């Protein structure tokens, strides 16, 4: 086993040592009250302490400063709306989690919010505080896969459930997957598998591609996946410009791209990095010669760079609000979100809402907060309704099987409302595009 | 990717970013040279200049007004900071001065974050410089060429102020021998206030001029500050020509290394700085014995 | 006095650490916050040794924090090693090695240069870790899955968990850290580090290789950083990439300054304040992202008004209250210099290899110093024989100070050679020359201003006792043989024995001048140069000091630069007259008085004053 824990067996080991440790055993940390629970459900993580009262706590850490701050705020609103709906038993939530009445197993959901700055270290520290101080039964938050991977491992060590926020890396439910972590959203490989045929059809075969890639797990895996799915159609990579998170200027990278002779520019950068690099690509005249593609759609990108830049651009995404014309749940979500926050939700909010709703559903179906039982409820493969139709959790890697939405940027003249940036081109079903669960080396680890 | 077109492109890009770095570094170096204070808030002032320009642009829609306001605002901010805080620190060890300017930098950054949020703000380039300029095989944003020209002009203006005016004479005298200024029967404090203002202005001016290129975040200044240090150490602390030379060298290193692998650009910058320190500790154009 | 109870601080620390888990939960601290505070506190101990004690403000400690952390985490997560303490130790060594490499470069400069270079080097480490080394460090992902230690002792097993369980492990580490640091502070090296902070020029001039001592402090600080970095990974089960960022260094600096430098415990307090305020401002006050603004303002105010941080402020406040309560504890009158020669011979002076030399003590040939084309000294020949008391006189601007600086190797001559006891010392370091038995007292006092009289003398005596450099970090300063006796006798000789425990700042001017001479004397020089020892003294102080000079010349060779002609003619056996950078005349006092050149150039001028 990879992690040492402060679980019951070890405590017993300590106590076995008897008189010598009698003094130290009285100290906090050596001594914890033995679980009052039944023998088949020994205390684990924050259970049963976290659900002993009449409310349960969720720790939320999203980036509120730094490169991913904009997306983090949107995510946060999705989480807050979901908590409100769980506690009030809103029809939308009950459509996703039919057993929900009010709260979760009758307990009110409360939450704490902290700024992760999109840094793994900060996120881990904050969640560690939520777990020890607030006895969180669930935690969430990431707008960076580096954070998601760190929190994944942290969840497994602490034996507290974790639902990822936005995380596009294949590794999150691949080689860095854990028993205690679950992902709702799409990711690099599914994005590539869904987007590549559309690109090949629209742009053609045998194209030269240039990549702008952020230097961490999300960027690397998305880049690799795109390359892999475009290769059969004769696409070649002429340059892959790997930039650190939060680079202040992309001119050097873009000159390399400009002089690479590429036909297509695939910009994998995210958050503010995507805004900046896209704007600068325009300034360097690159977008006049190379077709821009956004493999992993960035909430608010079109708004920030302007519709002129995203016009005609293909992107893969989790959700776009005009899906409300097609899915009734999407309509309910967009309406209640807009009513509360005054703008159309982006996919970060949708992902956040769905993640909490699915957790509520799993707990209700398990009938207990006991984490292994909740995990098994998740793993039961129950088909549930979502804002993009029917979806289900894959037991082998804890990845939700869900469609990938391909969108194309609208020209400003075609926009029917100020928020009408993207046109949904295709909704690619999830089963067809997802890799085999063990393709990325996922080993989930133990339940206890 | 080393090809001739790319080499020439990157060379030019290095010149453009180097000129801007030189301008910021000049601000740092004349403040240090005259007042003996290393201003760790310099990066924050660069950022603040951008935001000040952004506010002015929002109000008037005029690029020229934005630049003028950004620069003037920083003169005032610099002078006020000197008068209220820095002045308490002339008699204290350099470490204290570093600490207090470090703190001021954080306060500025967090104030801007409080006022403007973490969302990026953009100032568009003026319409007459919005397009691209084809220069043979190299396509370069027109505005970046304008930035290069503006930075060069600003450096020339600073040169004239420093070498052709009475204030410049006093500042340079202060750089040569800080005791001398007092002996010249000049109100040293007023000069210090002015110099701090001018130094802050150099950073703020660069900040607003650069704003259409980068888009603004409160954390914009931090990496610039570190690069400015490298520039100043390479060129020689307190040396105006050294800051210009150092700026251009740093710009070229960053740009040219990125041809091979952008990940090594910054590393290469620090390698060169280390080499300079080992071979010529006072910096390329620095005066010996001033450390 | 606290220092007389052995291990009091250690005992109090242990009690505090044991009591913490029972007390702080009531103050609203979660165990994880406390654990973070301990890690920062340990990180800060090293930084405090570097900045608080040695005066080197580094903004690059994150480099070593990250190095130690990633070395340990890499070993532990790649199944290369299962033993957590051993991995931590290797991490510490790795950080220390990095510290040597960085220190050698960064310590070439001081002050702002040093600060800027450390920033830049730390950034280099960050970029290296982030990209080129990402195969080992996980790049932006960091290294998840760092295990916690398990200890097997006497058949017992203690598997460290999280929360308060982790606390005990961290507290033990912190305790080790503080015990070692306390020993360092109380060692001879500790005293020398403080001296370097207060007056590096003098620390060097009394014979310490301050470059090496600074490097030692730098490496120790790096080792502490590496230790803390390793613990960060173990504590969180995750080694984060942001351990290398400038923010980490900046936060460390701010926490140390908030808590109070040169206290060892300041960083711990600073970290507690920082993390508590962070949580409090975010969670309770609801400031959100603005919490950092408040901390920034607090920091600026502290730097401006409470420079010594919270602990320093507390100490000052207590001292103020005590001072009011006991005003009777004032100093007595300065005692006069005894005309009886003190028994200096009883101090066992370290033997020097030149003791058997019988030729001239000092022999300078053709000494020339030019500054940018202007000659301050030109072609001076100068010989002093053993036991002589030589005076060097000349009008202002005659080049006496430059001449002296060359003789003690403070500045290298542009041309010419200097031989001391027959050995060529031209271009040697001033500290090495002092170790050979040649030192000087300064025209403008060069004291260790924040120390007591005895501590001042001790710094100089340590150089004489221990040589130019010795890394006895863990040895008590009181175990240095003969040190106490040498300090006492030196103080007795200059008439400051009764003032031994008085801080320098409280001395009268004349006393400071005598302490200045005592610093030079404590190095047991065979040749002592005195640069205007009577400058600025009252008539009574002059009489005392002249007597002092008469006392100390026994068994020594003295060269004195002085303006007080009465004293010069009373003391000196031979006089050398400098004029416009050249040697004008040399001879007995009578010969000089008769010399018409001297009268024209100099003595006449003085008489007219």
């Amino acid at each position: 086993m990879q992690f040492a824990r402060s679980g019951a067996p070890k405590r017993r080991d300590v106590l076995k040592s008897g008189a010598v440790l009698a003094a130290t055993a009285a100290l906090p940390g050596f001594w914890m009250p033995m679980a009052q629970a039944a023998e088949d459900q020994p205390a684990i993580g924050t259970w049963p302490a976290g659900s002993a009262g009449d409310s349960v706590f969720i720790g939320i850490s999203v980036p509120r400063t730094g490169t991913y701050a904009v997306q983090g705020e949107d995510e946060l609103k999705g989480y807050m709306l979901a908590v409100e709906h769980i506690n009030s038993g809103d029809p939308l939530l009950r459509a996703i989690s039919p057993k929900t009445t009010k709260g979760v197993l009758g307990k009110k959901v409360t939450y704490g919010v902290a700024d992760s700055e999109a840094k793994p270290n900060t996120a881990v520290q904050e969640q560690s505080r939520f777990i020890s101080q607030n006895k969180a039964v669930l935690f969430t938050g990431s707008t960076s896969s580096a954070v998601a991977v760190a929190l994944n491992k942290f969840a497994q060590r602490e034996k507290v459930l974790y639902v990822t926020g936005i995380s596009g890396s294949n590794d999150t439910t691949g080689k860095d997957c854990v028993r205690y972590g679950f992902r709702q959203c799409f990711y690099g490989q599914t994005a590539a598998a869904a987007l590549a045929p559309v690109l090949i059809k629209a742009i053609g075969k045998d194209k030269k591609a240039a990549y702008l890639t952020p230097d961490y797990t999300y960027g690397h895996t998305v880049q690799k996946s795109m390359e892999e799915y475009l290769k059969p159609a004769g696409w070649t990579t002429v340059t892959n410009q790997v930039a650190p998170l939060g680079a202040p200027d992309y001119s050097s990278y873009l000159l390399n791209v400009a002089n690479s002779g590429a036909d297509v520019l695939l910009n994998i950068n995210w958050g503010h990095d995507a805004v900046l690099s896209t704007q600068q690509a325009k300034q360097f005249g690159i977008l006049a010669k190379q077709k821009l593609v956004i493999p992993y759609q960035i909430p608010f990108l079109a708004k920030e760079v302007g519709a002129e830049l995203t016009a005609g651009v293909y992107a893969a995404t989790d959700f776009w609000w005009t899906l409300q014309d097609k899915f009734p749940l999407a309509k309910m979500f967009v309406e209640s979100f807009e009513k509360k926050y005054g703008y159309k939700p982006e996919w970060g909010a949708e992902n956040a809402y769905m993640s909490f709703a699915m957790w509520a559903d799993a707990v209700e179906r398990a009938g207990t907060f006991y984490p292994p039982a909740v995990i098994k409820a998740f793993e039961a493969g129950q088909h549930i309704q979502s804002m993009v139709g029917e979806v289900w959790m894959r037991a082998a890697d804890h990845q939700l099987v869900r469609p990938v939405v391909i969108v194309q940027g609208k020209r400003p003249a075609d926009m029917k409302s100020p928020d009408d940036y993207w046109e949904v081109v295709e909704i690619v079903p999830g089963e067809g595009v997802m890799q085999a669960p063990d393709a990325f080396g996922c080993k989930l680890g133990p339940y206890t | 990717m080393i090809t001739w077109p790319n080499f020439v492109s990157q060379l030019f890009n290095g010149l453009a970013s180097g000129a801007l770095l030189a301008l910021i570094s000049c601000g740092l170096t004349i403040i240090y040279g005259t007042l003996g204070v290393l201003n760790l808030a310099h990066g924050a002032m660069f950022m603040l200049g951008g935001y000040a320009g952004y506010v002015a642009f929002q109000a008037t829609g005029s690029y020229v007004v934005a630049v003028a306001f950004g620069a003037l605002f920083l003169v005032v901010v610099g002078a006020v900071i000197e008068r209220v805080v820095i002045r308490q620190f002339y008699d204290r060890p350099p470490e204290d001065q570093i600490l207090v300017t470090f703190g001021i930098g954080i306060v500025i950054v967090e104030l801007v974050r409080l006022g403007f949020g973490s969302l990026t703000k953009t100032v568009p380039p003026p319409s007459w410089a919005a397009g691209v300029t084809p220069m043979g095989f190299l396509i370069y944003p027109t505005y970046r060429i304008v930035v290069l020209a503006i930075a060069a002009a600003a450096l020339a203006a600073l040169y004239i102020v420093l070498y052709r005016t009475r204030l410049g004479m006093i500042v340079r005298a202060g750089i040569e021998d800080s005791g001398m200024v007092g002996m010249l029967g000049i109100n040293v404090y007023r000069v210090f206030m002015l110099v701090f203002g001018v130094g802050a202005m150099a950073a703020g001016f660069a900040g607003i001029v650069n704003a259409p290129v980068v888009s603004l975040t409160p954390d914009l200044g931090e990496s610039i500050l570190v690069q400015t240090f490298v520039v100043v150490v390479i060129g020689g602390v307190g040396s105006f020509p050294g800051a210009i030379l150092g700026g251009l060298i740093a710009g070229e290193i960053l740009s040219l290394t990125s041809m091979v692998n952008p990940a090594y650009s910054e590393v290469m910058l620090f390698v060169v700085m280390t080499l300079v320190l080992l071979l010529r500790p006072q910096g390329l154009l620095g005066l010996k014995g001033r450390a | 006095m606290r220092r007389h109870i052995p291990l009091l601080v250690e005992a109090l620390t242990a009690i505090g650490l044991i009591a913490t888990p029972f007390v702080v939960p009531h103050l609203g601290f979660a165990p994880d916050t406390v654990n973070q505070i301990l890690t920062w506190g340990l990180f800060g101990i090293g930084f405090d040794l570097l900045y608080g004690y040695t005066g080197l403000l580094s903004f690059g400690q994150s480099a070593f924090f990250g190095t130690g952390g990633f070395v340990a985490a890499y070993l532990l997560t790649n199944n290369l090693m299962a033993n957590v303490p051993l991995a931590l130790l290797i991490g510490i060594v790795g950080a220390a090695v990095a510290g040597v490499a960085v220190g050698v470069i960064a310590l070439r400069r001081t002050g702002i240069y040093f600060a800027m270079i450390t920033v830049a080097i730390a950034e280099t480490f960050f970029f290296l870790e982030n990209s080129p080394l990402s195969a080992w460090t996980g790049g932006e992902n960091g290294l998840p899955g760092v295990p916690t230690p398990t200890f097997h002792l006497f058949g017992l097993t203690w598997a460290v968990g999280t929360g308060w369980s982790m606390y005990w492990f961290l507290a033990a580490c912190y305790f080790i850290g503080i015990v070692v640091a306390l020993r360092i502070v109380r060692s001879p090296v500790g005293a020398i580090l403080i001296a370097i902070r207060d007056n590096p020029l003098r620390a060097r001039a009394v014979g310490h290789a301050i470059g090496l001592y600074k490097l030692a402090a730098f490496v120790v600080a790096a080792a502490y950083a590496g230790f803390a970095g390793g613990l960060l990974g173990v504590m969180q089960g995750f080694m984060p990439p942001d351990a290398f960022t400038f923010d980490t260094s900046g936060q460390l600096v701010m926490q140390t300054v908030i808590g109070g430098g040169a206290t060892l415990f300041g960083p711990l307090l600073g970290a507690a304040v920082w993390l508590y305020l962070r949580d409090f401002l975010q969670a309770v006050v609801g400031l959100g992202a603005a919490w950092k603004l408040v901390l920034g303002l607090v920091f600026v105010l502290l730097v401006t008004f409470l420079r010594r941080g919270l602990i320093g402020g507390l100490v000052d406040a207590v001292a103020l209250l005590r001072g009011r309560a006991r005003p009777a504890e004032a100093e007595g009158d300065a005692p006069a210099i005894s005309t009886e020669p003190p028994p200096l011979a009883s101090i066992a002076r370290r033997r020097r290899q030149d003791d058997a030399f019988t030729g001239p003590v000092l022999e300078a040939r053709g000494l020339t110093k030019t500054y940018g084309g202007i000659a301050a000294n030109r072609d001076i020949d100068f010989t002093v024989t053993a036991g002589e008391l030589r005076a060097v006189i000349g009008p202002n601007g005659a080049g006496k100070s430059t001449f002296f600086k060359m003789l003690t190797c403070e500045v290298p001559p542009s041309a010419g050679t200097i031989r001391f006891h027959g050995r060529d010392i031209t271009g040697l370091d001033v500290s090495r020359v002092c170790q050979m038995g040649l030192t000087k007292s300064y025209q403008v006092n060069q004291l260790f201003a924040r120390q007591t009289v005895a501590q001042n003398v001790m710094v100089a005596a340590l150089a004489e006792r221990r040589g130019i450099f010795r890394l006895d970090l863990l040895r008590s300063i009181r175990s240095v043989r003969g040190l106490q006796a040498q300090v006492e006798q030196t103080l007795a000789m200059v008439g400051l024995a009764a003032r031994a425990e008085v801080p320098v700042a409280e001395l009268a001017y004349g006393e400071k001048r005598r302490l200045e001479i005592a610093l030079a004397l404590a190095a047991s020089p065979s040749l002592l140069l005195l640069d205007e020892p009577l400058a600025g003294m009252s008539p009574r102080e002059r009489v005392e000091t002249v007597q002092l000079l008469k006392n100390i010349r026994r068994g020594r060779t003295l060269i004195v630069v002085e303006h007080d002609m009465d004293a010069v003619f009373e003391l000196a056996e031979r006089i050398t007259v400098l004029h416009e950078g050249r040697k004008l005349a040399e001879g007995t006092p009578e010969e000089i008085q008769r010399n018409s050149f001297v009268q024209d150039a100099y003595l006449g001028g003085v008489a007219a004053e």
Side-chain angles (χ1 to χ4, degrees), chain A residues 108-122:
Chain A
K108 189 170 178 283
V109 176
T110 60
Y111 60 90
V113 182
D115 176 14
S116 73
E117 306 162 21
K119 291 177 185 165
N121 190 34
T122 315

Side-chain angles (χ1 to χ4, degrees), chain B residues 230-276:
Chain B
V230 176
V231 166
V232 168
V233 170
I234 289 177
V237 177
S239 161
F240 178 75
I244 296 174
L245 180 66
L248 295 179
I249 290 176
E252 292 299 348
I253 293 170
L254 287 172
S255 232
L256 293 180
T257 314
S258 71
M259 275 196 304
V260 185
N261 185 347
Y264 286 85
S265 291
E266 303 262 351
V267 175
M268 190 53 77
L269 194 60
F270 299 122
V271 167
V272 170
M273 183 197 78
T274 307
L275 282 177
V276 168

Side-chain angles (χ1 to χ4, degrees), chain C residues 393-476:
Chain C
I393 62 171
N396 282 330
K400 301 186 297 291
S401 285
T402 305
F403 182 59
F404 250 39
K405 280 185 184 158
M406 281 194 286
L407 291 185
T408 50
C409 291
E410 282 172 277
V411 296
S414 308
T417 57
I418 307 157
R419 302 183 83 81
F420 175 60
H421 284 296
R423 282 174 61 186
D424 189 351
I425 61 168
T426 322
L428 285 186
D429 191 82
V430 61
S431 57
R432 201 157 286 286
V433 175
C434 179
Q435 287 288 336
M436 292 165 72
L438 192 174
T439 192
K440 83 166 192 187
S441 76
Y442 287 75
Q443 180 188 354
V444 178
N445 289 336
Q446 293 288 345
L447 305 173
F448 305 108
R450 286 194 263 174
Q451 314 262 62
T452 66
V453 170
Q455 283 168 334
N456 263 268
V457 175
M458 191 175 284
V459 172
L462 276 172
E464 201 272 336
R465 291 280 126 189
R466 294 165 62 257
I468 193 160
F469 178 72
R470 184 180 291 181
L471 212 51
D472 43 5
L473 284 168
L474 301 181
R475 173 191 191 186
S476 167

